[in-house]
Amino acid sequence: MSSVPLIQVNNLSKIFADADNKVIALNDISLKVNEGEIYGIVGMSGAGKSTLIRCINRLDIPNQGEILYRGQDILRMNKKTLLQTRRKMGMIFQQFNLFMQRTIAENIMYPLEITRVPAKEAKERVKKLLDIVGLQDKADAYPAQLSGGQRQRVGIARALACEPDLLLCDEATSALDPMTTQSILSLLQDINQRLGITILLITHEMAVIRQICHRVAILDGGKVVEEGDVDEVFLNTKSEAGKRLFGVLPETEMEDLGYPTLRIVFDGAAAEKPIISRLSKETGVNVNILSANINHLQGKTYGQLIIQKPEDENEVKAVTDFLLEEGVTVKEVNKQ
Amino acid sequence: MSWDQLWPLILEGTWDTLYMTIPATILSYLVGMPLGIIMVVTAKDGIRPKPTLNAILGVIINFLRSIPFIILLAMLFPVTRLVMGKAIGTTAIIFPLVISAFPYVARMVESSIREVDKGVIEAAQSLGSTDFQIIGKVMIREALPSLVNGAAIVTVAILGYTAMASAAGGGGLGSIAITKGLNLRKMDVMYTASIALVLLVQLITLAGNYLTKKINHRKR
Ligand SMILES: Nc1ncnc2c1ncn2[C@@H]1O[C@H](COP(=O)(O)OP(=O)(O)OP(=O)(O)O)[C@@H](O)[C@H]1O
Ligand SMILES: [Mg+2]
């Protein structure tokens, strides 16, 4: 990773104000996106995620702060440099935003058309992009004839047409069902790994972050309340917003039971299967469930389970290993 | 009146009607379409907001639109004479037709282009499009079915105005229905000319609907 971050946001603030009310959408945000990584920004609805990502390619103009792209301030660029920089940053949207009157090939062709790429070269590139997103047979279809997942693939291909080095994703999977979400996420991961394109994505789903992001920032009320490596942030969530997003009760709301417990966190990554009933069977440990707060959302499991920590260290290990294997996280709390 | 007499009259009237309607429609679009686009682009939420310009143009458009055609026709006599060489006749009336129709066209175009999803325009911006590329390659292209539909409606409206051409010595089916039919108590002439007018309107509407459907790729 190079020393100059691809994107550096410094003290960014954005206020939406009209005659009688004022919303501070972004409040002194600073963060860095390094070249080659998948950086996730997660937050509840209204946290300011869309505003932030839209400021990055100057679709929205912040009131304060700077956004450096390879050290150059996007907010102070002249129009021409801005347009050239935007071409280096592809963007995909929750609602796909495809050109409905253009065929799929013509949609992907658009960025090449406006940058005057010679027709022959453009055609070849469109073909290659259709290959990358797996839509070779849809070149002459119109967006209205495609499913949501296919439309998002077109959006991705269109965003990649000008060979950007950054892909901005605004809730790219939120309009899709779980299966399709998975396929789009692995496509993004593939693009990041194979083409080396940096990805900045925003989402309200922790599972998306867990699945493909390297680093994460948690946004709450227009502020970055937590930032770091995904595993780190996930296991040591400190902020209230983070805990809410992970479906975890804030520790303050937990009764001190007077003995060690294990907190098992379901973040949506684990499949929906009877993990707990198998836990006892397969590990032979008698599990004492103290509290459970599990929700099923779109075929995924979110929430937490508090169990009494077994006294035998081997049993603790067996339980933790089993759970980690299943894709859930275990954390010890109420240490005496 | 016998068919042999009626037929050439209707044919000539149809020709005159089209002779007024088609150039007036085209010229109205030449003026009204850019105006409509400017209205969208300079609006508060447009891609290049210019609130003052937008407000001024809006007032002018509304003012022109609120003057009844027959009054505009009279008011414009001196200007028409200046521009067209004479104030009355089938050719001269094209000028007042354009003046009265272009603000209407501007509003039609404005509303068609406003229908284009803001998200799609944002996507085009995110790809580094210039404002002109957005207008030409995104706004107009995406709004095309609606623009075509609007053009059919505008054509029919202008066709309706041409019926008042008789007031300025112009020809056309409407004029024939009034001057050679109604005024001379020749009801057969009046009805035939009117029916021809209705058929013409139907034809334009059907063609408009057909084209609109054919070029619309939004639904399937
Ligand atoms: N154009 C605008 N005018 C006024 N307020 C706005 C505007 N856009 C956003 N806001 C406000 O700014 C805040 C942040 O909005 P933003 O869309 O960035 O949230 P978000 O995190 O993307 O939410 P969601 O998950 O629902 O998309 C919200 O309170 C919103 O109401
Ligand atoms: Mg949003």
Side-chain angles (χ1 to χ4, degrees), chain A residues 16 23 25 43-52 171 202 204:
Chain A
F16 289 106
V23 180
M44 300 282 185
S45 184
K49 307 179 298 287
S50 294
T51 309
L52 175 57
E171 302 269 10
I202 64 175
H204 60 267

Side-chain angles (χ1 to χ4, degrees), chain A residues 204-324:
Chain A
H204 60 267
E205 287 177 285
M206 220 39 165
V208 170
I209 300 282
R210 284 279 286 160
Q211 202 169 338
I212 69 167
C213 293
H214 305 126
R215 288 203 305 136
V216 62
I218 298 177
L219 212 58
D220 188 29
K223 274 183 162 352
V224 174
V225 291
E226 230 166 310
E227 199 214 2
D229 287 344
V230 169
D231 291 336
E232 190 72 16
V233 170
F234 184 73
L235 285 175
N236 303 299
T237 317
K238 293 182 287 287
S239 63
E240 294 292 309
K243 285 171 187 161
R244 259 182 289 134
L245 284 162
F246 286 119
V248 170
L249 282 175
E251 259 149 70
T252 48
E253 286 175 30
M254 257 168 41
E255 211 181 328
D256 188 349
L257 298 166
Y259 47 79
T261 56
L262 290 179
R263 190 170 78 194
I264 303 168
V265 181
F266 296 80
D267 66 338
E272 196 176 5
K273 48 192 173 186
I275 289 179
I276 298 311
S277 66
R278 281 173 40 230
L279 174 62
S280 289
K281 257 182 240 151
E282 291 186 22
T283 59
V285 178
N286 236 335
V287 179
N288 184 15
I289 298 174
L290 301 172
S291 90
N293 176 19
I294 306 277
N295 296 306
H296 296 287
L297 263 179
Q298 301 188 328
K300 292 176 191 160
T301 313
Y302 295 89
Q304 69 168 359
L305 201 69
I306 309 286
I307 60 169
Q308 186 171 356
K309 186 183 174 191
E311 284 175 7
D312 185 305
E313 277 305 319
N314 288 332
E315 288 187 350
V316 176
K317 188 168 178 334
V319 169
T320 348
D321 285 351
F322 173 83
L323 290 170
L324 288 177

Side-chain angles (χ1 to χ4, degrees), chain A residues 54 87 100-101 110 113, chain B residues 122 128-129 137 142 215 218:
Chain A
R54 290 163 48 81
R87 289 169 191 158
M100 301 303 279
Q101 292 291 118
Y110 178 86
E113 213 175 294
Chain B
E122 244 164 38
S129 315
K137 290 175 183 288
E142 291 294 303
I215 60 174
R218 239 149 238 293

